[in-house]
Amino acid sequence: MAALRPPRPDAPAEEVARIAAAAPDWASLAAVARACVACPELAAARQYVVVGDLPLSGRPRFALVGEAPGATEDETGRPFVGRSGALLDQLLAEAGLDRAEAAVLNVVKCRPPGNRTPKAPEVARCSGWLRRQLELLDPPAVVALGLSAAKWFLGPKTVLAQVRGRPHPFDGRVLWATYHPSAAIRFGPNGAPRAGLLADLTAVARTLR
């Protein structure tokens, strides 16, 4: 099968989605995503397209989905490996979850300059990649980390405080929305986001047993 042609600069979201949907497997999807230049500002500033991490073997027990890569992720090409990732790993372990059994993804695959919030057109263009990733990996449960990720799944009017703490149906899967680890860092070890994130991860762990 011929390699897929990556999206053009400023390609519409529909074009990116068509290309992503045509990828027959993870390797094909990752290869074409790494060459994506649909968002010229992001493509010019990035070091890597952070496609995502797969579980060590087999279908993921769950998927973690954040907003976008940060500086350390852009330097390494891997998601959640900076300070937020270290805290996430710690809280996953405390909750009884193993990151090695998870798919770790982001809504937007390139780091926005200055760690700014991704723009709506960037989210729209990148949505095809995430949608196809979830189709290929088929995780039974998905954890949306932070408001931006929660809005991707549950809609633009989502209020995190109103949707976290309980499961939501999404495309035949169970979706949990919770705080981003960066919020837990920002509010400190005794802050509500850290406690809420741990409580939500613990609830996810209970449903996966």
Side-chain angles (χ1 to χ4, degrees), residues 126-148:
C126 231
S127 289
W129 302 126
L130 178 56
R131 194 170 292 111
R132 184 60 176 151
Q133 286 178 323
L134 294 174
E135 290 173 354
L136 289 170
L137 298 174
D138 194 26
V142 178
V143 182
L145 298 168
L147 181 59
S148 291

Side-chain angles (χ1 to χ4, degrees), residues 139-144 149-151 153-155 158-178 200 204 207:
V142 178
V143 182
K151 285 182 175 179
F153 289 98
L154 297 174
T158 297
V159 177
L160 192 56
Q162 296 176 357
V163 298
R164 61 160 294 267
R166 66 184 191 279
H168 304 266
F170 182 84
D171 284 353
R173 312 178 206 289
V174 176
L175 172 73
W176 297 80
T178 187
D200 292 338
V204 173
T207 68

Side-chain angles (χ1 to χ4, degrees), residues 10 21 29 92 124 171 180 187:
D10 287 318
L29 183 74
L92 285 169
D171 284 353
H180 194 282
F187 285 90

Side-chain angles (χ1 to χ4, degrees), residues 75-158:
E75 291 170 359
T76 61
R78 294 190 57 217
F80 284 99
V81 291
R83 287 184 64 207
S84 291
L87 179 58
L88 177 61
D89 290 351
Q90 176 186 333
L91 296 181
L92 285 169
E94 290 180 18
L97 295 169
D98 186 351
R99 175 168 170 158
E101 296 179 328
V104 187
L105 312 168
N106 278 302
V107 172
V108 172
K109 311 303 185 189
C110 299
R111 180 197 181 199
N115 284 352
R116 64 162 170 75
T117 300
K119 299 174 183 177
E122 295 165 350
V123 172
R125 290 189 187 107
C126 231
S127 289
W129 302 126
L130 178 56
R131 194 170 292 111
R132 184 60 176 151
Q133 286 178 323
L134 294 174
E135 290 173 354
L136 289 170
L137 298 174
D138 194 26
V142 178
V143 182
L145 298 168
L147 181 59
S148 291
K151 285 182 175 179
W152 190 89
F153 289 98
L154 297 174
K157 295 184 178 179
T158 297

